[in-house]
Amino acid sequence: MKKTSKEKLEITNKDSLRRRHAGNYIPIDNGECYLLPYEVHLRKQPLEFFEQLSDYDFLKSSATGAALTFAGLQEELRCLENRESGIGFWKNFNESALNRYLNPILGRTEKNQGWKQVYIKKSKEADADKPHHDDMLRCIYLFAHLHKASPSFIRQLALENDAWSTDLRVYYPRKDFSFSEEYAGYLSELYANMLFQQPENIRRLIKCLDVCIEKLIQHADSDWITHFLKHRSEDTDPPSLKILKYNQIASITHFSELNKYLQDKITGPFAQNSFAKLEANEKNPSGLQIAATAQQYKLVAALCMRIPLPSPLREINGSWVSEGTDPIAYQDMKLCINAVANALAADALNQLKIESDGTKSGKRDTSISAAVKKLAEQNPQSIEEALRIGSPDFASVPELYSFYLRKRSEYAIAKARSPEGLKASVLPNMPPTPKAVIKSMQQNPNIRRVLDYIRGNNLNQISSDIEKLEFDLMMSCLKEKGYSKVGLIYQYVLQSLPPRV
């Protein structure tokens, strides 16, 4: 066994991989938002750690390594073979994972123009002919170890338009579902390795690309944005960054599918006394058996009010204030929380059920009420503290339910807007009417324009466009309001994150 293989062999064991990526995220204020636990670990390592790595490892500086070859990579991966079975690792890996799933991820669909033909140098080709030769070999080296840990990983990575996949992501995986944490470890390994040598602007863009896409779709018709959506630039990105870019694009398609599923689930009727009826039901021995208490529903309603705001709320002069947003008067916040509590209570009394088809680990998702109970128990126990926290902890709750809560809240607040109730100026970034909430869940016609822009530009061009947009918006806000607002895409503030351990 090669000494240079030991570091990556850690991730071929699922338990070791979980331990490597366990721990809390570290908030940073460079627009990247946070560092993954393993990224923090890597930044503390001495030079000797990197010197002993394989030349095919992303973590090792390419300036100090020898020339990389395809034959050399295959030799390096011999340590992954199962000598007892007699089945060579490379043949199975190449056919089942790389050709079938990596080609679509990299946009290589024609048989004679797959990843190997496009990126790997032949004997007489120079660096200028295949500038991403080394990067491609490093991608395969990393994928090989991840494939050894789980042959389903690259297949899952290649999926698009899969509502179930919203539970599988690098940030805040579900705690109650083992494959979710495992898959988050695989993604964390990709992000930590592939971004390690990248400049700050690319790290920032990749980590925030899902938010970037969402915001561009939302504001695509704005004069600030519509002009640069026409930009097209040369294909200069290495395959490693294309893989991360694909993962973020796929994430958007998964949530689009989830929106489609929940559209008719968040519009149920409710009244101003729905929460009171839930309280009365709780005191009635013969009433409906609901897992969460009425008070837990009210607490989760407050958590739902914390979700759309960029930073913790503070109490100032009779208002709740979140940095970068307009103050919300105490009475208006109370109206918002009551509206959401009434909507959630009505759904509980009407026994609304939403279920996924079941997870890959074989168990069905929990009920809405059980999810509400879990959220109430793992977050602050008072409404005031729920508003003051950095971020609500939704890690143990399937995305199906956290997304339902978010959209149901938007619908309830939109219904509460009236001359006698909630003013239109409160939470202006939320959809203003119930119809607008439903429209926000439908396939936005701008999504194709934005994804064409994302796919049609290299990351340096996209980064340049977004950085200029952020600067222009900041200067406009400074000129009009006398202060610079938190960015549209990048959040240049330290975020208080819920613990993961």
Side-chain angles (χ1 to χ4, degrees), residues 260-268 347 352-355 404 408 441:
K260 186 189 300 184
Y261 173 74
L262 287 177
Q263 274 183 53
D264 63 345
K265 307 288 194 302
I266 57 101
T267 58
D347 288 348
L352 175 67
K353 293 182 179 180
I354 52 177
E355 295 179 324
Y404 151 78
R408 183 59 162 149
M441 298 177 73

Side-chain angles (χ1 to χ4, degrees), residues 443-471:
Q443 184 76 282
N444 190 316
N446 290 328
I447 192 169
R448 182 170 181 177
R449 288 170 59 201
V450 172
L451 290 185
D452 283 349
Y453 162 76
I454 297 294
R455 292 187 177 109
N457 286 280
N458 59 54
L459 291 169
N460 275 316
Q461 179 64 58
I462 299 171
S463 175
S464 176
D465 291 338
I466 299 302
E467 298 276 3
K468 184 177 185 305
L469 170 66
E470 295 285 61
F471 180 79

